[in-house]
Amino acid sequence: MPGSCTSRVIRMEDLDRKIVALLAGDGRMSFTDLGKATGLSTSAVHQRVKRLEQRGVILGYAALIDHTALDLPLSALISIRPIDPSQPDDSPERLREVPEIESCYSVAGDSSYILIVRVASPGALENLLAVIRARANVSTTTTIVLSTPYEHRPPALT
Amino acid sequence: MPGSCTSRVIRMEDLDRKIVALLAGDGRMSFTDLGKATGLSTSAVHQRVKRLEQRGVILGYAALIDHTALDLPLSALISIRPIDPSQPDDSPERLREVPEIESCYSVAGDSSYILIVRVASPGALENLLAVIRARANVSTTTTIVLSTPYEHRPPALT
DNA sequence: AATGAAATAGTGCGATA
DNA sequence: TATCGCACTATTTCATT
């Protein structure tokens, strides 16, 4: 039956994409269950996942946490702009050791970076802003997060 | 030795915080290793993690993905504002089924929500903006992410 | 709540097609 | 790259403290 094979077989690329999407949705899924979901043997899945980790497609695994439970109930987005645009902008490196900063995005537009931060209180945010301004020599614009309808949703499996 | 006990023993609350922080940093860490890191038996860690999951402290587990590998190389932050402020604002519900939206934050300030989205191309972003505006009856301001120095860093263990 | 023991299940690796 | 087999390790439950 010429042709019937290629129509049934899932291409390798798609298998990797499916594995990645499954793990993005459930980071603790076992290789055995991934195998059942993809039609591969446990070993084959194991091999592919390790390769995806090595190639940097899978960057790591994380538990998603309710930050209020960790005494970090206040989230904010902070836009930063260099005070002296003639200086080289190495803000991400200067701010890397600040543990309250969860994410740092380099952006087009009015600001150079947008940070997502998690702190315990308005007072802690005030202190954090002072630290950021001092360490990176930037001005800041802060947007307080009032609530989080949803976040960190996995990419669609298609 | 009165007093020596309380100074050595880690309070239960702190044990849970430590487990949560460890899993936030490595979502696939085994109960055995968590036990070694906390000084608890595997069973005790297991019991605590299940309880943390049930109480919603641990919301889930996710593989962290290089989105370029999933053909979603373009990230953006989209601020949205209702066009008709007299209408009830249920934008998060109206946008929940849009798979490109990774996160939705309700914020104080000029806009009502800020979305983080992942798309394949500028064209896909254009389409997505049309979908968002139509579904939620909002105007949008889009900030393109040029690069991501870091994101999704776990909270500090302290 | 924590422990240790025991049954079940998953991981990781080497041989092999 | 896939599969199978096997030794090793982890998960999960339960009786006990």
Side-chain angles (χ1 to χ4, degrees):
Chain A
M1 289 163 79
S4 68
C5 196
T6 49
S7 64
R8 281 177 185 278
V9 171
I10 298 167
R11 284 181 300 116
M12 184 185 67
E13 227 170 56
D14 288 344
L15 275 176
D16 281 339
R17 286 174 56 87
K18 187 164 188 183
I19 289 170
V20 165
L22 286 166
L23 282 171
D26 178 4
R28 279 182 88 90
M29 202 169 171
S30 72
F31 297 125
T32 304
D33 284 347
L34 286 168
K36 285 172 188 164
T38 55
L40 287 175
S41 69
T42 303
S43 312
V45 170
H46 182 264
Q47 216 168 0
R48 279 170 182 269
V49 170
K50 292 304 161 194
R51 199 185 51 190
L52 289 165
E53 290 170 355
Q54 278 193 314
R55 289 197 303 207
V57 175
I58 295 174
L59 300 165
Y61 302 90
L64 304 178
I65 300 304
D66 177 356
H67 286 83
T68 59
L70 276 183
D71 294 329
L72 297 169
L74 181 53
S75 300
L77 284 78
I78 304 177
S79 301
I80 67 179
R81 250 156 299 101
I83 286 176
D84 180 356
S86 68
Q87 293 294 109
D89 186 353
D90 55 349
S91 297
E93 289 69 37
R94 288 170 175 273
L95 298 174
R96 189 179 289 276
E97 303 307 321
V98 181
E100 290 89 350
I101 302 175
E102 182 179 288
S103 300
C104 172
Y105 300 101
S106 169
V107 295
D110 291 334
S111 48
S112 51
Y113 299 95
I114 294 179
L115 312 175
I116 297 180
V117 305
R118 314 279 186 177
V119 292
S121 64
L125 180 57
E126 188 174 23
N127 293 339
L128 176 61
L129 286 167
V131 167
I132 290 171
R133 286 193 279 254
R135 288 179 81 124
N137 195 33
V138 291
S139 64
T140 61
T141 304
T142 301
T143 302
I144 300 284
V145 173
L146 302 170
S147 71
T148 303
Y150 35 87
E151 70 179 338
H152 302 320
R153 301 199 307 175
L157 285 98
T158 50
Chain B
M1 291 163 81
S4 69
C5 195
T6 49
S7 64
R8 282 177 183 280
V9 170
I10 298 167
R11 284 180 300 118
M12 184 185 68
E13 227 171 56
D14 288 344
L15 273 175
D16 281 339
R17 285 172 57 87
K18 186 162 187 183
I19 290 169
V20 165
L22 286 165
L23 282 171
D26 178 5
R28 279 183 88 91
M29 201 170 172
S30 72
F31 296 121
T32 305
D33 285 347
L34 287 169
K36 286 172 188 161
T38 55
L40 288 175
S41 68
T42 303
S43 314
V45 171
H46 181 260
Q47 213 169 359
R48 280 170 181 270
V49 169
K50 291 305 160 193
R51 200 184 51 190
L52 288 165
E53 289 170 356
Q54 279 193 314
R55 290 198 303 209
V57 175
I58 295 173
L59 300 164
Y61 301 90
L64 304 178
I65 300 304
D66 178 356
H67 286 83
T68 58
L70 276 184
D71 294 329
L72 297 169
L74 181 53
S75 300
L77 284 78
I78 305 177
S79 302
I80 68 178
R81 252 156 298 103
I83 285 174
D84 181 354
S86 69
Q87 294 293 109
D89 185 352
D90 55 348
S91 296
E93 290 68 35
R94 287 170 176 273
L95 298 173
R96 189 178 290 276
E97 303 307 321
V98 181
E100 289 89 350
I101 302 174
E102 182 179 287
S103 300
C104 172
Y105 300 101
S106 168
V107 295
D110 291 335
S111 49
S112 51
Y113 299 95
I114 294 179
L115 313 175
I116 297 181
V117 305
R118 314 278 187 178
V119 293
S121 64
L125 180 57
E126 188 174 24
N127 293 339
L128 175 60
L129 287 167
V131 167
I132 289 171
R133 286 194 279 255
R135 287 178 82 126
N137 195 34
V138 290
S139 64
T140 62
T141 304
T142 301
T143 302
I144 299 285
V145 173
L146 301 170
S147 71
T148 303
Y150 34 89
E151 70 179 338
H152 304 319
R153 301 199 307 173
L157 284 99
T158 50

